[in-house]
């Protein structure tokens, strides 16, 4: 049985495969134990939304948020997250309904290893055009400084943390969609982040915006196909901030069709965000070789947020409780004559946990070890709550499509 099912307590669910263009300038799927030469393979990690509510940015040391998952995030060559706010240093932190982050908050996430960042979501223009401009300038500075650190780092220095380049997509560049293009060894990776939602329609031309209409989605799929042909990436990752209801566990058929259209157009991995709850992961595998060639994450939930302000001990399965949880998908990608395929996968559930005596939550891996530690610490009520949350997340079935 594939490793991912054993780790998540899931069973495979077999499911059969199923704007104007001018707006877009711009195995045997083995999920099996990796072989000893596996470090030579490409390692990817996909998390969800990084948010900053009042209780998040009120803490003194943002690095504490990431300590429990830092090793996992750093182990990947590229680790994805959606940054759910502008980064405007001239404005203070702001929380719901209009968000803003100071650079120190995402800097802690980058220090933890996140280096593939979507800036396209419904909160991108919360601070208006000045906020978008500031975010754009900040992201370019982060990219430049991170790449300079990589160049300067000595290959012989084993005691210093590995320098990591940081890449962004989501804001337009000269009126065209921004894409991040980079290499893993000799293999080109292309990353684009778009949003179908904006909280205000002002300044939409400054964001990688796709109208959530049949025509708009078809035009974007055509643009993906054009990029695939023009740039010839070996791996193409697309992030979509979807126009769907928040806090809903199911996926609308037309949205699934859209993501499959993106795969057909040349995307290899589609990561969706906005629902703020964990949704299924779909693996698209070849019938003959059983190798996974494509992956869709319909929502990885909140990586960190303050949405779940209090734990509902009486009804831990009430939908708002899902906003405190997320998942991270790790993919180990190998190469064959057709290109990349997923050799190994691992999904980790995470949750926001506020330590006793503290006001701000940190991320914890939501597993039996965490629940046991709560019992040992005398937090029996919390242990029962998080145990119920773990069981609820295990019930979200993976989707398998064979082609």
């Amino acid at each position: 049985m594939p490793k991912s099912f054993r780790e998540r307590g899931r069973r495979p669910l077999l499911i059969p495969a199923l704007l104007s263009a001018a707006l877009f300038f711009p195995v045997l799927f083995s999920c099996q134990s990796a072989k000893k030469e596996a470090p030579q393979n490409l390692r990817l990690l996909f998390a969800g939304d990084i948010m900053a509510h009042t209780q998040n940015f009120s803490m003194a040391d943002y690095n504490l948020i990431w300590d429990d998952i830092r090793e996992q995030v750093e182990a990947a060559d590229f680790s994805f997250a959606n940054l759910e706010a502008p980064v405007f240093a001239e404005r203070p932190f702001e929380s719901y309904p209009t968000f803003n982050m100071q650079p120190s908050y995402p800097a802690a996430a980058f220090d933890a290893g996140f280096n593939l960042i979507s800036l396209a979501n419904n909160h991108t223009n919360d601070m208006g055009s000045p906020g978008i401009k500031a975010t754009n300038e900040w992201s370019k500075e982060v990219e430049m400084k991170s790449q300079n650190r990589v160049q300067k780092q000595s290959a012989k220095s084993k005691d210093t943390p590995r320098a990591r380049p940081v890449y962004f997509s989501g804001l337009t560049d000269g009126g065209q969609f921004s894409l991040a293009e980079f290499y893993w060894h000799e293999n080109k990776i292309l990353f684009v982040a778009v949003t179908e939602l904006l909280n205000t329609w002002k300044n939409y031309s400054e964001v990688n915006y796709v109208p959530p209409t049949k025509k708009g989605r078809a035009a974007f799929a055509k643009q993906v196909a054009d990029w695939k042909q023009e740039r010839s990436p070996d791996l193409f990752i697309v992030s979509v901030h979807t126009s769907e209801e928040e806090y809903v566990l199911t996926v609308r058929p037309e949205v699934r069709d859209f993501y499959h259209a993106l795969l057909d157009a040349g995307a290899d991995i589609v990561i969706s965000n906005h629902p703020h709850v964990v949704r299924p992961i779909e693996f698209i595998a070849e019938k003959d070789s059983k190798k996974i060639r494509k992956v869709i994450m319909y929502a990885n939930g909140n990586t960190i947020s303050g949405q779940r302000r209090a734990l509902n001990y009486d009804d831990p399965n009430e939908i708002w409780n899902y906003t405190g949880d997320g998942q991270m998908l790790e993919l180990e990608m190998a190469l064959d004559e057709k290109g990349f395929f997923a050799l190994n996968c691992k999904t980790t559930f995470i949750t926001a946990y506020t330590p006793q005596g503290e006001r701000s939550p940190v991320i914890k891996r939501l597993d039996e070890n965490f629940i046991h530690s709560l019992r040992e610490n005398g937090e029996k009520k919390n242990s029962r709550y998080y145990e119920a949350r773990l069981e609820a997340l295990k019930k979200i079935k993976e989707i398998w499509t064979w082609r």
Side-chain angles (χ1 to χ4, degrees):
M1 181 173 286
K3 183 177 179 182
S4 63
F5 297 144
R6 292 199 302 268
E7 289 178 346
R8 300 186 73 163
R10 298 182 178 182
R11 295 181 180 176
L13 175 63
L14 300 181
I15 294 184
L18 305 165
L19 259 179
S20 80
L23 289 175
F24 297 103
F25 292 122
V27 108
L28 176 93
F29 170 31
S30 63
C31 268
Q32 62 192 2
S33 296
K35 299 177 182 179
K36 289 187 178 180
E37 63 269 22
Q40 298 176 5
N41 295 325
L42 171 63
R43 294 177 179 273
L44 305 172
L45 181 143
F46 294 89
D49 300 323
I50 296 178
M51 307 188 74
H53 293 83
T54 302
Q55 56 268 52
N56 301 120
F57 60 68
S58 296
M59 66 190 306
D61 184 359
Y62 302 135
N63 290 294
L64 297 176
I65 295 171
W66 307 102
D67 281 350
D68 202 46
I69 62 170
R70 186 182 304 275
E71 185 175 348
Q72 266 180 280
V73 177
E74 288 181 335
D77 295 292
F78 302 101
S79 294
F80 167 90
N82 169 55
L83 196 61
E84 190 97 352
V87 182
F88 193 5
E90 294 183 8
R91 294 283 296 269
F93 279 103
E94 293 192 35
S95 186
Y96 182 83
T98 54
F99 288 91
N100 185 55
M101 294 179 184
Q102 288 286 300
S104 55
Y105 191 82
F110 304 153
D111 288 343
F114 286 101
N115 63 344
L116 196 59
I117 307 299
S118 166
L119 297 173
N121 51 73
N122 58 304
H123 290 287
T124 299
N125 61 356
D126 278 5
M127 296 290 106
S129 186
I132 296 174
K133 181 180 178 181
T135 304
N136 212 347
E137 292 174 351
W138 162 82
S139 66
K140 289 178 179 180
E141 182 179 4
V142 170
E143 278 189 345
M144 180 185 66
K145 288 183 177 180
S146 70
Q147 290 168 26
N148 287 342
R149 284 195 296 270
V150 172
Q151 292 173 0
K152 292 178 181 179
Q153 186 179 56
S154 170
K156 297 180 181 179
S157 180
K158 297 181 180 180
D159 297 328
T160 57
R162 179 174 56 138
R164 298 167 67 85
V166 182
Y167 300 101
F168 298 88
S169 176
L171 306 181
T172 56
D173 186 7
Q176 299 183 355
F177 274 25
S178 64
L179 295 88
E181 186 177 292
F182 48 94
Y183 285 83
W184 176 77
H185 298 299
E186 301 299 319
N187 300 282
K188 182 190 292 186
I189 301 175
L190 194 61
F191 166 61
V192 63
V194 303
T195 183
E196 298 184 311
L197 285 172
L198 291 166
N199 286 348
T200 172
W201 299 114
K202 296 178 180 179
N203 318 117
Y204 73 89
S205 62
E206 300 176 57
V207 184
N208 289 3
Y209 171 67
V210 175
T213 62
K214 186 175 181 179
K215 182 179 178 180
R217 288 170 171 171
F220 181 62
K222 172 62 167 57
Q223 181 64 77
V224 167
D226 290 345
W227 284 325
K228 178 73 173 181
Q229 182 176 10
E230 294 164 4
R231 300 188 181 227
S232 301
D234 298 292
L235 189 71
F236 196 168
I237 302 170
V238 179
S239 169
V240 180
H241 205 78
T242 181
S243 176
E244 291 183 86
E245 300 86 356
E246 296 173 295
Y247 324 121
V248 175
L249 301 177
T250 55
V251 181
R252 296 206 308 259
E254 63 269 26
V255 172
R256 184 168 183 253
D257 289 345
F258 173 41
Y259 295 162
H260 274 264
L262 296 180
L263 298 182
D264 293 340
D268 299 295
I269 298 172
V270 174
I271 169 71
S272 177
N273 29 73
H274 180 65
H276 300 299
V277 296
V278 170
R279 284 182 169 184
I281 298 170
E282 181 171 1
F283 297 105
I284 296 91
E286 295 173 331
K287 289 182 179 179
D288 51 355
S289 69
K290 311 304 183 196
K291 291 178 179 177
I292 287 192
R293 296 290 178 181
K294 309 275 186 174
V295 179
I296 302 172
M297 287 155 276
Y298 287 100
N300 283 347
N302 286 333
T303 300
I304 187 63
S305 81
Q307 284 190 292
R308 184 174 63 188
R309 296 176 182 272
L311 307 186
N312 189 338
Y313 296 110
D314 295 328
D315 187 7
N317 291 327
E318 185 269 330
I319 193 63
W320 195 253
N321 292 271
Y322 285 83
T323 65
D325 303 324
Q327 65 184 358
M328 301 189 303
L329 175 65
E330 295 171 79
L331 294 173
E332 181 187 350
M333 309 295 289
L335 280 165
D336 63 10
E337 68 281 357
K338 292 184 180 180
F340 280 105
F341 67 95
L343 174 69
N344 193 10
C345 73
K346 178 183 177 182
T347 306
T348 302
F349 293 127
I350 56 177
T351 195
Y353 165 72
T354 303
Q356 289 183 320
E358 302 291 337
R359 297 175 55 189
S360 301
V362 298
I363 300 168
K364 291 291 184 180
R365 285 190 289 267
L366 183 53
D367 55 22
E368 296 298 337
N369 290 333
F370 171 61
I371 294 167
H372 178 73
S373 71
L374 293 176
R375 293 194 193 101
E376 292 294 299
N377 199 37
E379 299 180 50
K380 293 183 179 180
K381 199 172 183 180
N382 281 346
S383 71
R384 289 192 295 269
Y385 173 85
Y386 284 107
E387 187 171 31
R389 293 302 314 136
L390 177 58
E391 292 306 310
L393 295 179
K394 286 180 178 180
K395 293 177 182 178
I396 300 172
K397 303 294 184 183
E398 285 166 339
I399 301 170
W400 284 78
T401 298
W402 303 93
R403 291 184 175 181

